[in-house]
Amino acid sequence: MARLGFIGPWRRCYLAAQNAFKIKTKKIVVKHVLAERMQACGLGWIGAGQMASAMAKGVVEAKIFAKGDVIASDKSTAQLESFSGLVGCLVTTSNVEIVQKCPIVVLSTKPAVVPIVLREIYEEVKAKNPLVISIAAGVSIDTMEALLPKSTRVVRVMPNTPCLVGETASAYAMGANATANDAEVVEKLFGSCGQTFKLKESLMDAVTGLSGSGPAYVYMMIEAMADGGVRMGLPRAVALKLAAQTVFGSAKMVLSTGEHPGLLKDKVASPGGTTIAGIHALEQSGFRGIIMNAVQAASERSKELSEVKKSKM
């Protein structure tokens, strides 16, 4: 297992590490070059869970960073092995090493661990002044800035689980010291595995209620549509794939055409036809109101949990 991360030409760093520290490192052949604006950058992840692995893989596949310029830390050997196997990069058990070697550091730990990690890396952050990006749910910028040196550039990002298949919907908010260049870096990184939007931090709870929790609502709708198909005689496996592909194709229509979903709906619903009969049934059950209530409830719960976390930090 590698214990060091490096910025710069991989082969020179690899040989230097072996000669100086006699460590055993998995050899990685780098096939990609860094994006022009990020030639001097290294990307480090503190926390090597599923979401971090998926995003790091997206960054490498988009050729924003080469494998040799990405490193992750975690206390779990199993997590590190999984990360390295999926992304093909270096790993370490030291969070401090991430900050020492990487000018871009992504906090991808569980929210409760963030204060512990920030206190651990404080001195290195003070010395190196990296861009600190957090994807820890519910941890505010104020909380992070209070636990870091005053000049630290902090960006908070709220992705969602479809990042695991390269289709995240994320939003980000800038800390007091974050710059326009930092925003560009964040958009490039998170845009490699979906879409990302810059917002005020005060809207992050709404983002959580919509896109953060939203996949669960969509999964329930897919399940319900499939159950309806089974109710009408379709084999379950076929019904499930029909429902999922319908949702996927419909979402793609909204994104690719730019047309309002209400207009696309009207194009499907012909007078006196089957679709308008189904829409009528949905309206009678308060379908749209239910979905809006779900987003509101999740957003309000996100705000409550954020306040609880803030009080404990």
Side-chain angles (χ1 to χ4, degrees):
M1 180 185 301
R3 295 297 301 275
L4 297 172
F6 296 96
I7 305 167
W10 161 247
R11 190 171 299 280
R12 184 173 72 245
C13 294
Y14 174 78
L15 293 174
Q18 283 198 321
N19 291 335
F21 300 95
K22 306 298 183 183
I23 61 173
K24 294 181 180 180
T25 304
K26 177 182 175 183
K27 187 175 181 180
I28 300 171
V29 178
V30 178
K31 297 181 180 179
H32 304 317
V33 295
L34 294 175
E36 182 178 351
R37 287 185 61 83
M38 296 188 175
Q39 284 183 346
C41 290
L43 176 64
W45 298 80
I46 296 181
Q50 280 190 323
M51 193 167 285
S53 298
M55 289 184 176
K57 182 182 179 184
V59 166
V60 170
E61 289 181 346
K63 303 182 182 180
I64 298 172
F65 282 99
K67 293 178 182 179
D69 293 280
V70 178
I71 182 170
S73 66
D74 204 289
K75 301 303 180 184
S76 168
T77 302
Q79 294 276 55
L80 292 177
E81 289 177 351
S82 176
F83 189 102
S84 181
L86 181 66
V87 185
C89 71
L90 294 173
V91 293
T92 177
T93 56
S94 172
N95 296 331
V96 171
E97 288 179 17
I98 297 294
V99 183
Q100 288 174 338
K101 304 302 179 183
C102 299
I104 303 172
V105 176
V106 183
L107 299 176
S108 50
T109 66
K110 293 181 179 179
V113 181
V114 169
I116 299 171
V117 171
L118 294 184
R119 293 186 184 101
E120 178 187 359
I121 65 175
Y122 182 95
E123 291 301 327
E124 288 303 323
V125 171
K126 186 176 181 179
K128 299 293 185 178
N129 193 31
L131 168 61
V132 177
I133 302 169
S134 171
I135 63 171
V139 181
S140 70
I141 291 174
D142 284 346
T143 296
M144 290 184 284
E145 289 181 337
L147 295 170
L148 288 166
K150 291 183 179 180
S151 61
T152 306
R153 291 135 51 224
V154 175
V155 179
R156 177 185 173 189
V157 183
M158 180 64 204
N160 62 3
T161 55
C163 73
L164 300 175
V165 292
E167 294 293 347
T168 192
S170 62
Y172 70 96
M174 306 282 283
N177 299 309
T179 67
N181 285 339
D182 294 332
E184 187 176 344
V185 169
V186 170
E187 293 199 3
K188 199 169 188 70
L189 292 177
F190 289 85
S192 68
C193 52
Q195 295 193 35
T196 189
F197 305 91
K198 182 180 179 181
L199 295 172
K200 296 178 181 179
E201 190 183 21
S202 59
L203 294 173
M204 293 301 272
D205 291 319
V207 171
T208 300
L210 176 56
S211 56
S213 301
Y217 316 152
V218 177
Y219 300 147
M220 290 179 70
M221 186 172 72
I222 290 172
E223 181 184 31
M225 289 173 66
D227 284 347
V230 172
R231 173 69 179 83
M232 300 312 297
L234 289 173
R236 179 161 294 279
V238 174
L240 186 57
K241 289 182 179 179
L242 283 172
Q245 182 62 33
T246 297
V247 170
F248 176 78
S250 300
K252 194 170 183 178
M253 284 282 289
V254 172
L255 293 174
S256 62
T257 66
E259 293 185 1
H260 191 280
L263 179 59
L264 292 172
K265 175 207 69 178
D266 289 347
K267 289 181 178 181
V268 181
S270 56
T274 59
T275 302
I276 195 63
I279 290 172
H280 186 211
L282 290 173
E283 295 287 15
Q284 284 181 315
S285 299
F287 178 75
R288 280 189 274 199
I290 290 171
I291 299 300
M292 292 171 68
N293 288 343
V295 173
Q296 180 179 347
S299 299
E300 291 173 349
R301 182 56 176 161
S302 173
K303 186 175 182 179
E304 291 171 3
L305 292 175
S306 294
E307 291 299 323
V308 171
K309 290 172 185 174
K310 188 174 182 179
S311 67
K312 290 183 178 180
M313 292 179 182

